[in-house]
Amino acid sequence: MFTFFIVFIANLIIGILVGLSGVSGFLLPIIYVGFLGLPVHDSLALSFLAFMVAGVIGAYSYWKLKYMDLKLALYLSIGSLPGAFLGVQINVLISETMAKLLLYLFVLLAGLSILFKKNKDQPEIEAGANQSFILNRPVLTMLLGLLTAAICALTGAGGPILVVPLLASLGVNIRTAVGVGLLNSIIIAIPSIFGYFSYASIENIHLFILFSLVGTMIGILTGSRIVNKVPVEQLKIIIALITIISSVYMLGSLAFAG
């Protein structure tokens, strides 16, 4: 029962952080794998289930605020479906040690990205007015969706941590990029959930699902309610430092275990 309590608390806290800052979901796999010692496939299945819930709530919120480019999200998602399936298959084929190594390395890079990225809002411009030619070519956008989804599904990243800065660098308004990233994370999560749950091996998986979903929903809703009361930039720095320290510790543990 203590393990289920930890799962609930982890999802609650990370749900709040996602609701506040739009990032930190990628910390879930490292908690499941590194601190609870769950198998990689089970950990990723539970993580992507939480990512899907967070994506649904977050994308709906951004859509209501009119920070959503449905055309861009559609083309990305067309590529993301096969990309996520490909990422799952690659993860299943490689060894568990290699899967853990890729997970910890990606989380480390994500933490460094948050720490050093400059979060300057772009001016509100007409949709598509300043976008890269890549996003104006449906085939290239779908290819972008395929590649990002494959990386996210393989490593256990939720989606926004990779998609949002990439879209922002291609000329998408940062708020719209977050909205599209959250919607796209749902598409990445669907094949990832089915793929990883088909390899799940832990007992009482239904209880893990229950405590995970309840914690995530409460956390996301709480974070979205208090978002205007918390200094988000300071919060991101704290998240980044926790991420970097955790991933370095896990990489060290993996090296000594080998």
Side-chain angles (χ1 to χ4, degrees):
M1 185 56 68
F2 180 72
T3 299
F4 298 131
F5 176 74
I6 296 298
V7 169
F8 171 78
I9 294 298
N11 280 270
L12 176 67
I13 293 174
I14 291 177
I16 292 173
L17 296 178
V18 171
L20 288 171
S21 65
V23 298
S24 80
F26 56 86
L27 281 171
L28 269 181
I30 206 170
I31 293 174
Y32 287 144
V33 176
F35 292 97
L36 292 180
L38 300 181
V40 171
H41 297 153
D42 302 73
S43 300
L44 294 179
L46 292 168
S47 297
F48 277 107
L49 186 61
F51 298 157
M52 186 177 71
V53 173
V56 169
I57 298 174
Y60 177 71
S61 298
Y62 275 81
W63 175 75
K64 286 182 64 178
L65 293 171
K66 302 188 184 304
Y67 291 122
M68 182 65 69
D69 186 335
L70 291 177
K71 183 179 178 181
L72 173 59
L74 173 63
Y75 287 134
L76 276 176
S77 298
I78 291 173
S80 293
L81 273 175
F85 177 80
L86 176 64
V88 172
Q89 298 309 307
I90 295 174
N91 185 287
V92 170
L93 290 174
I94 63 179
S95 68
E96 183 161 325
T97 300
M98 179 59 68
K100 288 182 179 180
L101 177 62
L102 291 174
L103 169 62
Y104 299 156
L105 285 174
F106 191 89
V107 170
L108 175 60
L109 292 175
L112 292 172
S113 172
I114 295 172
L115 186 63
F116 294 110
K117 185 180 68 174
K118 295 181 180 179
N119 295 290
K120 294 182 179 178
D121 274 0
Q122 299 172 2
E124 299 296 331
I125 55 177
E126 184 181 351
N130 196 36
Q131 289 184 7
S132 165
F133 75 95
I134 294 175
L135 301 182
N136 294 321
R137 307 279 195 291
V139 173
L140 294 179
T141 305
M142 287 186 280
L143 180 60
L144 186 68
L146 187 147
L147 293 174
T148 54
I151 294 171
C152 291
L154 170 62
T155 59
I161 188 63
L162 182 59
V163 174
V164 172
L166 186 57
L167 291 180
S169 69
L170 293 174
V172 179
N173 175 271
I174 186 64
R175 293 186 180 92
T176 302
V178 173
V180 171
L182 287 167
L183 182 58
N184 186 241
S185 70
I186 303 171
I187 306 303
I188 296 173
I190 292 172
S192 301
I193 289 169
F194 285 104
Y196 285 123
F197 267 121
S198 66
Y199 294 95
S201 58
I202 56 176
E203 298 180 359
N204 299 319
I205 189 68
H206 61 286
L207 291 177
F208 280 96
I209 293 173
L210 175 62
F211 281 89
S212 170
L213 289 181
V214 172
T216 299
M217 287 189 287
I218 295 175
I220 293 281
L221 293 173
T222 302
S224 62
R225 286 180 178 274
I226 63 174
V227 64
N228 293 325
K229 301 177 181 179
V230 177
V232 176
E233 292 307 314
Q234 295 180 19
L235 179 67
K236 286 186 176 182
I237 293 175
I238 294 173
I239 293 172
L241 292 176
I242 293 174
T243 300
I244 293 168
I245 293 170
S246 300
S247 56
V248 169
Y249 173 78
M250 290 303 165
L251 283 168
S253 299
L254 191 63
F256 285 116

